[in-house]
Coordinates of all heavy atoms in Angstrom, one line a residue:
G1 N 0.8 -1.2 0.0 CA 0.0 0.0 0.0 C 0.9 1.3 0.0 O 2.1 1.2 0.0
V2 N 0.2 2.3 0.0 CA 0.8 3.6 0.0 C 0.3 4.5 1.2 O -0.8 4.3 1.6 CB 0.6 4.4 -1.3 CG1 1.3 3.7 -2.5 CG2 -0.8 4.7 -1.6
W3 N 1.1 5.4 1.7 CA 0.7 6.2 2.8 C -0.2 7.3 2.3 O 0.1 7.9 1.2 CB 1.9 6.8 3.5 CG 2.7 5.9 4.3 CD1 3.9 5.3 4.0 CD2 2.4 5.4 5.6 NE1 4.3 4.5 5.0 CE2 3.5 4.5 6.0 CE3 1.3 5.6 6.5 CZ2 3.4 3.8 7.2 CZ3 1.4 4.9 7.7 CH2 2.4 4.0 8.0
S4 N -1.2 7.6 3.0 CA -2.1 8.8 2.6 C -1.5 10.0 3.3 O -0.6 9.9 4.1 CB -3.5 8.5 3.0 OG -3.6 8.4 4.4
R5 N -2.1 11.2 3.0 CA -1.6 12.4 3.6 C -1.9 12.3 5.1 O -2.9 11.7 5.5 CB -2.2 13.6 3.0 CG -3.7 13.8 3.2 CD -4.2 15.1 2.5 NE -5.6 15.1 2.5 CZ -6.3 15.6 3.5 NH1 -5.8 16.0 4.6 NH2 -7.7 15.7 3.4
S6 N -1.1 13.0 5.9 CA -1.3 12.9 7.4 C -2.5 13.8 7.7 O -2.9 14.8 7.0 CB -0.1 13.4 8.1 OG 0.2 14.7 7.8
E7 N -3.2 13.4 8.8 CA -4.3 14.2 9.4 C -3.9 14.7 10.7 O -3.3 13.9 11.5 CB -5.5 13.3 9.5 CG -6.0 12.8 8.1 CD -6.8 13.7 7.3 OE1 -7.2 14.8 7.9 OE2 -7.1 13.5 6.2
S8 N -4.2 15.9 11.1 CA -3.9 16.4 12.4 C -5.0 17.2 13.1 O -5.8 17.8 12.3 CB -2.7 17.3 12.4 OG -1.6 16.7 11.9
C9 N -5.1 17.1 14.3 CA -6.1 18.0 15.0 C -5.6 19.5 14.9 O -4.4 19.7 14.7 CB -6.1 17.6 16.5 SG -6.9 16.1 16.8
P10 N -6.5 20.4 15.0 CA -6.2 21.8 15.0 C -5.2 22.1 16.1 O -5.1 21.4 17.1 CB -7.5 22.6 15.2 CG -8.5 21.6 14.7 CD -8.0 20.2 15.1
P11 N -4.3 23.2 16.0 CA -3.4 23.5 17.0 C -4.0 23.6 18.4 O -5.1 24.2 18.6 CB -2.9 24.9 16.5 CG -3.0 24.8 15.1 CD -4.3 24.1 14.8
G12 N -3.3 23.0 19.4 CA -3.8 23.1 20.8 C -4.8 22.0 21.1 O -5.2 21.9 22.3
Q13 N -5.2 21.2 20.1 CA -6.1 20.1 20.4 C -5.4 18.8 20.3 O -4.3 18.7 19.8 CB -7.3 20.1 19.4 CG -8.2 21.4 19.6 CD -9.3 21.3 18.6 OE1 -9.8 20.3 18.2 NE2 -9.9 22.5 18.3
R14 N -6.0 17.7 20.8 CA -5.4 16.4 20.8 C -6.5 15.4 20.4 O -7.7 15.6 20.6 CB -4.8 16.1 22.1 CG -5.8 16.0 23.3 CD -5.1 16.4 24.6 NE -6.1 16.8 25.6 CZ -6.6 18.0 25.7 NH1 -6.2 19.0 24.9 NH2 -7.5 18.3 26.6
L15 N -6.1 14.2 20.0 CA -7.0 13.1 19.7 C -7.6 12.6 21.0 O -6.8 12.4 22.0 CB -6.3 11.9 19.0 CG -5.8 12.2 17.6 CD1 -5.1 10.9 17.1 CD2 -6.9 12.5 16.7
V16 N -8.9 12.3 21.0 CA -9.5 11.9 22.3 C -10.3 10.5 22.1 O -10.7 9.9 23.1 CB -10.4 12.9 23.0 CG1 -9.6 14.1 23.4 CG2 -11.6 13.4 22.0
S17 N -10.5 10.2 20.8 CA -11.3 8.9 20.6 C -11.0 8.5 19.1 O -10.7 9.4 18.3 CB -12.8 9.1 20.8 OG -13.5 7.9 20.7
F18 N -11.1 7.2 18.8 CA -10.9 6.8 17.4 C -11.7 5.5 17.1 O -12.3 4.9 18.1 CB -9.4 6.5 17.2 CG -8.9 5.3 18.0 CD1 -8.9 4.0 17.4 CD2 -8.5 5.5 19.3 CE1 -8.4 2.9 18.1 CE2 -8.0 4.4 20.0 CZ -8.0 3.1 19.4
R19 N -11.9 5.2 15.9 CA -12.5 4.0 15.5 C -11.9 3.5 14.1 O -11.3 4.3 13.4 CB -14.0 4.2 15.3 CG -14.5 5.1 14.2 CD -15.9 5.2 14.1 NE -16.3 6.2 13.1 CZ -17.6 6.2 12.6 NH1 -18.5 5.5 13.1 NH2 -17.8 7.1 11.6
L20 N -12.1 2.3 13.8 CA -11.6 1.6 12.6 C -12.8 1.2 11.7 O -13.8 0.7 12.2 CB -10.7 0.5 12.9 CG -9.3 0.7 13.4 CD1 -8.6 -0.6 13.7 CD2 -8.5 1.6 12.5
R21 N -12.6 1.2 10.4 CA -13.5 0.5 9.5 C -12.8 -0.8 9.1 O -11.7 -0.9 8.6 CB -13.7 1.4 8.2 CG -14.7 0.7 7.3 CD -15.3 1.6 6.2 NE -14.2 2.3 5.5 CZ -14.4 3.5 4.9 NH1 -15.6 4.1 5.0 NH2 -13.5 4.1 4.3
V22 N -13.5 -1.9 9.4 CA -13.0 -3.2 9.2 C -13.9 -4.1 8.4 O -15.1 -4.2 8.7 CB -12.7 -3.9 10.6 CG1 -12.2 -5.3 10.5 CG2 -11.8 -3.0 11.5
E23 N -13.3 -4.8 7.5 CA -14.1 -5.8 6.7 C -14.0 -7.1 7.4 O -12.9 -7.6 7.7 CB -13.5 -5.9 5.3 CG -14.3 -6.9 4.4 CD -13.7 -7.1 3.0 OE1 -12.5 -7.2 2.9 OE2 -14.5 -7.2 2.1
A24 N -15.2 -7.8 7.6 CA -15.2 -9.1 8.2 C -14.5 -10.1 7.3 O -14.5 -9.9 6.1 CB -16.7 -9.5 8.4
P25 N -14.0 -11.2 7.8 CA -13.5 -12.3 7.0 C -14.5 -12.7 5.9 O -15.6 -12.9 6.1 CB -13.2 -13.4 8.0 CG -13.1 -12.8 9.3 CD -14.0 -11.6 9.2
R26 N -13.9 -13.0 4.7 CA -14.8 -13.3 3.5 C -14.6 -14.8 3.1 O -14.9 -15.2 2.0 CB -14.4 -12.4 2.4 CG -14.8 -11.0 2.7 CD -14.5 -10.1 1.6 NE -14.8 -10.7 0.3 CZ -14.8 -10.1 -0.9 NH1 -14.5 -8.9 -1.0 NH2 -15.1 -10.7 -2.0
G27 N -13.9 -15.6 4.0 CA -13.7 -17.0 3.6 C -12.6 -17.1 2.6 O -11.5 -16.7 2.7
L28 N -13.0 -17.7 1.4 CA -12.0 -17.9 0.3 C -11.7 -16.7 -0.5 O -10.8 -16.7 -1.3 CB -12.6 -19.0 -0.6 CG -12.8 -20.4 0.0 CD1 -13.4 -21.4 -1.0 CD2 -11.5 -21.0 0.5
W29 N -12.4 -15.7 -0.3 CA -12.2 -14.4 -1.1 C -11.1 -13.6 -0.4 O -10.7 -13.8 0.7 CB -13.5 -13.6 -1.2 CG -14.6 -14.4 -1.8 CD1 -15.6 -15.0 -1.1 CD2 -14.8 -14.7 -3.2 NE1 -16.4 -15.7 -2.0 CE2 -15.9 -15.5 -3.3 CE3 -14.1 -14.3 -4.3 CZ2 -16.4 -15.9 -4.5 CZ3 -14.6 -14.8 -5.5 CH2 -15.7 -15.6 -5.6
D30 N -10.6 -12.6 -1.2 CA -9.5 -11.7 -0.7 C -10.0 -10.8 0.4 O -10.9 -10.0 0.2 CB -9.0 -10.9 -1.9 CG -7.8 -10.1 -1.5 OD1 -7.1 -10.5 -0.6 OD2 -7.6 -9.1 -2.2
D31 N -9.5 -11.0 1.6 CA -9.8 -10.2 2.7 C -9.0 -8.9 2.8 O -7.8 -8.9 2.5 CB -9.5 -11.0 4.0 CG -10.5 -12.2 4.2 OD1 -11.6 -12.1 3.8 OD2 -10.0 -13.2 4.7
T32 N -9.6 -7.8 3.2 CA -8.9 -6.6 3.3 C -8.7 -6.2 4.8 O -7.8 -5.4 5.1 CB -9.6 -5.5 2.6 OG1 -10.9 -5.3 3.2 CG2 -9.7 -5.7 1.1
A33 N -9.5 -6.6 5.7 CA -9.4 -6.3 7.1 C -9.6 -4.9 7.4 O -10.5 -4.3 7.0 CB -8.2 -6.9 7.7
A34 N -8.7 -4.2 8.2 CA -8.8 -2.8 8.6 C -8.5 -2.0 7.3 O -7.5 -2.1 6.6 CB -7.8 -2.5 9.7
N35 N -9.4 -1.1 7.0 CA -9.3 -0.2 5.9 C -9.3 1.3 6.1 O -8.8 2.0 5.2 CB -10.5 -0.5 4.9 CG -10.5 -1.9 4.3 OD1 -9.5 -2.2 3.6 ND2 -11.4 -2.7 4.6
A36 N -9.8 1.8 7.2 CA -9.7 3.2 7.5 C -9.8 3.4 9.0 O -10.2 2.6 9.7 CB -10.9 3.9 6.8
M37 N -9.4 4.6 9.3 CA -9.4 5.1 10.7 C -10.0 6.5 10.8 O -9.8 7.3 9.9 CB -8.0 5.1 11.3 CG -8.0 5.5 12.8 SD -6.3 5.5 13.4 CE -6.4 6.8 14.6
A38 N -10.8 6.7 11.8 CA -11.4 8.0 12.1 C -11.0 8.4 13.5 O -10.9 7.5 14.3 CB -12.9 8.1 11.8
A39 N -10.9 9.7 13.8 CA -10.6 10.1 15.1 C -11.3 11.4 15.4 O -11.7 12.2 14.5 CB -9.1 10.4 15.3
I40 N -11.6 11.7 16.8 CA -12.2 12.9 17.2 C -11.1 13.7 18.0 O -10.4 13.2 18.8 CB -13.4 12.6 18.1 CG1 -14.5 11.8 17.4 CG2 -14.0 13.9 18.7 CD1 -15.6 11.4 18.2
C41 N -11.1 15.0 17.7 CA -10.2 15.9 18.4 C -10.9 16.5 19.6 O -12.1 16.5 19.7 CB -9.8 17.1 17.4 SG -8.9 16.5 16.0
S42 N -10.1 17.0 20.5 CA -10.7 17.5 21.8 C -11.6 18.7 21.6 O -12.6 18.9 22.4 CB -9.6 17.9 22.8 OG -8.7 18.9 22.1
G43 N -11.6 19.3 20.4 CA -12.5 20.5 20.2 C -13.8 20.0 19.4 O -14.6 20.8 19.1
G44 N -13.9 18.7 19.1 CA -15.0 18.1 18.5 C -14.9 17.8 16.9 O -15.8 17.2 16.4
S45 N -13.8 18.3 16.3 CA -13.7 18.0 14.9 C -13.3 16.5 14.7 O -12.7 15.9 15.5 CB -12.6 18.9 14.3 OG -11.4 18.8 14.9
V46 N -13.8 16.0 13.5 CA -13.6 14.6 13.2 C -12.6 14.5 12.1 O -12.7 15.2 11.1 CB -14.9 13.9 12.8 CG1 -14.7 12.5 12.4 CG2 -15.9 14.0 14.0
L47 N -11.6 13.7 12.2 CA -10.6 13.4 11.2 C -10.9 12.0 10.6 O -11.2 11.1 11.4 CB -9.2 13.3 11.7 CG -8.7 14.6 12.6 CD1 -7.3 14.3 13.1 CD2 -8.7 15.8 11.7
E48 N -11.0 11.9 9.3 CA -11.2 10.6 8.7 C -10.2 10.3 7.6 O -10.0 11.1 6.7 CB -12.6 10.5 8.1 CG -13.0 9.1 7.6 CD -14.5 9.1 7.3 OE1 -15.3 9.5 8.1 OE2 -14.8 8.5 6.2
G49 N -9.5 9.2 7.8 CA -8.5 8.8 6.9 C -9.1 8.4 5.5 O -10.3 8.1 5.4
R50 N -8.2 8.3 4.5 CA -8.7 8.0 3.1 C -8.5 6.6 2.8 O -7.8 6.2 1.8 CB -8.0 8.9 2.1 CG -8.2 10.4 2.3 CD -7.4 11.2 1.3 NE -7.6 12.6 1.5 CZ -7.9 13.4 0.5 NH1 -7.9 12.9 -0.7 NH2 -8.1 14.7 0.8
G51 N -9.0 5.7 3.6 CA -8.8 4.3 3.4 C -9.8 3.7 2.4 O -10.6 4.5 1.8
G52 N -9.8 2.4 2.3 CA -10.7 1.7 1.3 C -12.1 1.8 1.8 O -12.4 1.9 3.0
P53 N -13.1 1.6 0.9 CA -14.5 1.6 1.3 C -15.1 0.3 1.9 O -16.2 0.3 2.4 CB -15.2 1.9 -0.1 CG -14.3 1.2 -1.1 CD -12.9 1.4 -0.5
Q54 N -14.3 -0.8 1.9 CA -14.8 -2.0 2.4 C -14.9 -2.0 3.9 O -14.1 -1.5 4.6 CB -13.8 -3.2 2.0 CG -13.7 -3.4 0.5 CD -12.6 -2.6 -0.1 OE1 -12.1 -1.6 0.5 NE2 -12.2 -2.9 -1.3
G55 N -15.9 -2.8 4.4 CA -16.1 -2.9 5.8 C -17.1 -1.9 6.4 O -17.7 -1.1 5.7
T56 N -17.2 -2.1 7.7 CA -18.1 -1.2 8.5 C -17.4 -0.5 9.6 O -16.4 -1.1 10.1 CB -19.3 -2.0 9.1 OG1 -18.8 -3.1 9.8 CG2 -20.2 -2.6 8.0
W57 N -17.8 0.6 10.0 CA -17.2 1.3 11.1 C -17.5 0.6 12.4 O -18.6 0.3 12.7 CB -17.6 2.8 11.2 CG -17.1 3.6 10.1 CD1 -17.7 4.1 9.0 CD2 -15.7 4.1 10.0 NE1 -16.9 4.9 8.2 CE2 -15.7 4.9 8.8 CE3 -14.6 4.0 10.8 CZ2 -14.5 5.5 8.4 CZ3 -13.4 4.6 10.3 CH2 -13.4 5.4 9.2
G58 N -16.5 0.5 13.2 CA -16.6 -0.1 14.6 C -17.1 1.1 15.5 O -17.2 2.2 15.1
N59 N -17.2 0.7 16.8 CA -17.6 1.7 17.8 C -16.4 2.6 18.1 O -15.2 2.3 17.9 CB -18.0 1.0 19.1 CG -19.2 0.1 18.9 OD1 -20.1 0.5 18.2 ND2 -19.2 -0.9 19.6
W60 N -16.7 3.8 18.5 CA -15.7 4.8 19.0 C -15.1 4.2 20.2 O -15.8 3.6 21.1 CB -16.3 6.2 19.2 CG -16.7 6.9 18.0 CD1 -18.0 7.0 17.4 CD2 -15.9 7.6 17.1 NE1 -17.9 7.7 16.3 CE2 -16.6 8.1 16.0 CE3 -14.5 7.8 17.1 CZ2 -16.1 8.8 15.0 CZ3 -13.9 8.5 16.0 CH2 -14.7 9.0 15.0
S61 N -13.8 4.4 20.4 CA -13.2 4.1 21.6 C -13.7 5.0 22.8 O -14.3 6.0 22.5 CB -11.6 4.3 21.5 OG -11.3 5.7 21.4
L62 N -13.5 4.5 24.0 CA -13.9 5.3 25.2 C -13.1 6.6 25.1 O -11.9 6.6 24.8 CB -13.6 4.6 26.5 CG -14.4 3.4 26.7 CD1 -13.9 2.7 28.0 CD2 -15.9 3.7 26.8
P63 N -13.8 7.8 25.3 CA -13.1 9.0 25.2 C -12.1 9.2 26.3 O -12.3 8.7 27.4 CB -14.2 10.1 25.2 CG -15.3 9.4 25.9 CD -15.2 8.0 25.5
C64 N -11.0 9.9 26.1 CA -10.1 10.2 27.1 C -10.7 11.2 28.1 O -11.5 12.0 27.8 CB -8.8 10.9 26.5 SG -8.0 9.9 25.3
P65 N -10.2 11.1 29.4 CA -10.6 12.1 30.4 C -10.3 13.5 30.0 O -9.4 13.7 29.2 CB -9.9 11.7 31.6 CG -9.2 10.4 31.3 CD -9.2 10.2 29.9
P66 N -11.0 14.5 30.5 CA -10.7 15.9 30.2 C -9.2 16.2 30.4 O -8.6 15.8 31.4 CB -11.6 16.7 31.1 CG -12.7 15.8 31.4 CD -12.1 14.4 31.4
G67 N -8.6 16.8 29.5 CA -7.2 17.2 29.6 C -6.2 16.2 29.1 O -5.0 16.4 29.0
A68 N -6.7 15.0 28.8 CA -5.9 13.9 28.3 C -6.1 13.6 26.8 O -7.0 14.2 26.2 CB -6.2 12.6 29.1
G69 N -5.2 12.8 26.2 CA -5.4 12.5 24.8 C -4.9 11.1 24.6 O -4.4 10.4 25.5
V70 N -5.2 10.6 23.4 CA -4.8 9.2 23.0 C -3.3 9.2 23.0 O -2.6 10.0 22.3 CB -5.3 8.9 21.6 CG1 -4.8 7.5 21.2 CG2 -6.9 8.8 21.6
C71 N -2.7 8.3 23.7 CA -1.2 8.2 23.8 C -0.7 6.8 23.2 O 0.5 6.6 23.2 CB -0.7 8.3 25.2 SG -1.3 7.1 26.3
G72 N -1.6 6.0 22.7 CA -1.2 4.8 22.0 C -2.3 4.0 21.5 O -3.5 4.4 21.8
L73 N -2.1 3.1 20.7 CA -3.1 2.2 20.0 C -2.7 0.8 20.2 O -1.5 0.4 20.2 CB -3.2 2.5 18.5 CG -3.6 3.9 18.1 CD1 -3.5 4.0 16.6 CD2 -5.0 4.3 18.6
R74 N -3.7 -0.1 20.4 CA -3.5 -1.5 20.5 C -4.0 -2.1 19.2 O -5.2 -1.8 18.8 CB -4.2 -2.1 21.7 CG -4.0 -3.6 21.8 CD -4.6 -4.1 23.1 NE -4.5 -5.5 23.1 CZ -5.3 -6.3 23.8 NH1 -6.2 -5.8 24.5 NH2 -5.1 -7.6 23.8
T75 N -3.2 -2.8 18.4 CA -3.7 -3.4 17.2 C -3.6 -4.9 17.2 O -2.9 -5.5 18.0 CB -2.8 -2.9 16.0 OG1 -1.4 -3.2 16.2 CG2 -2.9 -1.4 15.9
R76 N -4.3 -5.5 16.3 CA -4.3 -6.9 16.1 C -3.8 -7.2 14.7 O -4.4 -6.8 13.7 CB -5.7 -7.6 16.3 CG -5.7 -9.1 16.1 CD -6.9 -9.8 16.6 NE -8.1 -9.1 16.1 CZ -9.3 -9.3 16.6 NH1 -9.5 -10.2 17.6 NH2 -10.4 -8.7 16.1
L77 N -2.7 -8.0 14.6 CA -2.0 -8.3 13.3 C -2.1 -9.8 13.0 O -1.9 -10.6 13.9 CB -0.6 -7.8 13.3 CG -0.3 -6.4 13.6 CD1 1.2 -6.1 13.7 CD2 -0.9 -5.5 12.5
E78 N -2.4 -10.1 11.8 CA -2.4 -11.5 11.3 C -1.0 -11.8 10.9 O -0.3 -11.1 10.1 CB -3.3 -11.7 10.1 CG -3.3 -13.1 9.6 CD -4.2 -13.3 8.4 OE1 -4.0 -12.5 7.4 OE2 -5.0 -14.1 8.4
P79 N -0.4 -12.9 11.4 CA 0.9 -13.3 10.9 C 0.9 -13.8 9.5 O -0.2 -14.1 8.9 CB 1.3 -14.5 11.8 CG 0.0 -15.0 12.4 CD -1.0 -13.9 12.3
P80 N 2.0 -13.8 8.8 CA 2.1 -14.2 7.4 C 1.5 -15.6 7.2 O 1.7 -16.5 8.0 CB 3.6 -14.2 7.1 CG 4.2 -13.3 8.0 CD 3.4 -13.4 9.3
Q81 N 0.7 -15.7 6.1 CA -0.1 -17.0 5.9 C 0.7 -18.0 5.0 O 0.2 -19.0 4.7 CB -1.4 -16.7 5.3 CG -2.3 -15.8 6.2 CD -2.6 -16.5 7.5 OE1 -3.2 -17.6 7.5 NE2 -2.1 -16.0 8.6
R82 N 1.8 -17.5 4.5 CA 2.7 -18.4 3.6 C 1.8 -19.1 2.5 O 1.6 -20.2 2.5 CB 3.3 -19.5 4.5 CG 4.3 -18.9 5.5 CD 5.0 -20.0 6.2 NE 5.8 -19.2 7.2 CZ 6.8 -19.8 7.9 NH1 7.0 -21.1 7.8 NH2 7.5 -19.1 8.8
G83 N 1.5 -18.2 1.6 CA 0.7 -18.7 0.4 C -0.8 -18.5 0.6 O -1.5 -18.6 -0.4
G84 N -1.2 -18.2 1.8 CA -2.7 -17.9 2.0 C -2.9 -16.4 1.8 O -2.1 -15.6 1.4
D85 N -4.1 -16.0 2.3 CA -4.6 -14.6 2.1 C -4.1 -13.8 3.3 O -4.6 -13.9 4.4 CB -6.1 -14.6 2.0 CG -6.7 -13.2 1.8 OD1 -5.9 -12.4 1.3 OD2 -7.9 -13.0 2.0
D86 N -3.1 -13.0 3.1 CA -2.6 -12.1 4.2 C -3.4 -10.8 4.3 O -3.8 -10.2 3.3 CB -1.1 -11.7 3.9 CG -0.2 -12.8 4.0 OD1 -0.4 -13.7 4.8 OD2 0.8 -12.8 3.2
T87 N -3.7 -10.5 5.6 CA -4.5 -9.2 5.8 C -3.7 -8.2 6.5 O -4.0 -7.0 6.4 CB -5.8 -9.5 6.5 OG1 -5.5 -10.1 7.8 CG2 -6.8 -10.4 5.7
G88 N -2.7 -8.6 7.3 CA -2.0 -7.6 8.1 C -2.7 -7.1 9.3 O -3.0 -7.8 10.2
L89 N -3.1 -5.8 9.3 CA -3.8 -5.1 10.3 C -5.3 -5.6 10.3 O -6.0 -5.3 9.3 CB -3.7 -3.6 10.3 CG -4.4 -2.8 11.4 CD1 -3.8 -3.2 12.7 CD2 -4.3 -1.4 11.1
N90 N -5.8 -6.2 11.4 CA -7.1 -6.7 11.4 C -8.1 -5.9 12.2 O -9.2 -5.8 12.0 CB -7.1 -8.2 12.0 CG -6.6 -9.2 10.9 OD1 -7.2 -9.3 9.9 ND2 -5.5 -9.7 11.2
D91 N -7.6 -5.3 13.3 CA -8.5 -4.6 14.2 C -7.7 -3.8 15.2 O -6.5 -4.0 15.3 CB -9.3 -5.6 15.0 CG -10.7 -5.0 15.4 OD1 -10.9 -3.8 15.2 OD2 -11.5 -5.8 15.9

């Protein structure tokens, strides 16, 4: 894949919640898994990445407490399938 342009909160704001658009496993068909990410800034603006259209949006993460921001992400990665259908980032 290729990197899309970066997205940032307005100056003085921070990320406080995020969600992913994930395609469910398709069995024998080509799986894409995680396709896009969206985030909410502390001032209320929403950032949405330019990922693929496949999948459905998951729930928003629990918002950070006032004055705090997202300081890390936990991801789920599929190991190489050695000839099978690799998806990489799943959730």
Side-chain angles (χ1 to χ4, degrees):
V2 296
W3 289 103
S4 64
R5 66 179 171 84
S6 63
E7 299 280 348
S8 298
C9 289
Q13 296 184 24
R14 62 208 162 277
L15 293 179
V16 295
S17 185
F18 67 94
R19 67 180 181 165
L20 289 176
R21 181 168 47 210
V22 178
E23 181 184 44
R26 297 179 40 171
L28 297 176
W29 301 101
D30 186 26
D31 293 323
T32 59
N35 290 300
M37 181 179 147
I40 298 176
C41 298
S42 55
S45 56
V46 177
L47 307 175
E48 189 171 310
R50 298 176 179 229
Q54 298 90 342
T56 55
W57 287 107
N59 295 327
W60 288 101
S61 66
L62 294 174
C64 298
V70 174
C71 61
L73 300 173
R74 181 177 176 201
T75 60
R76 181 167 47 196
L77 302 173
E78 178 184 52
Q81 298 299 297
R82 300 185 180 191
D85 182 20
D86 292 327
T87 58
L89 180 63
N90 285 294
D91 208 352

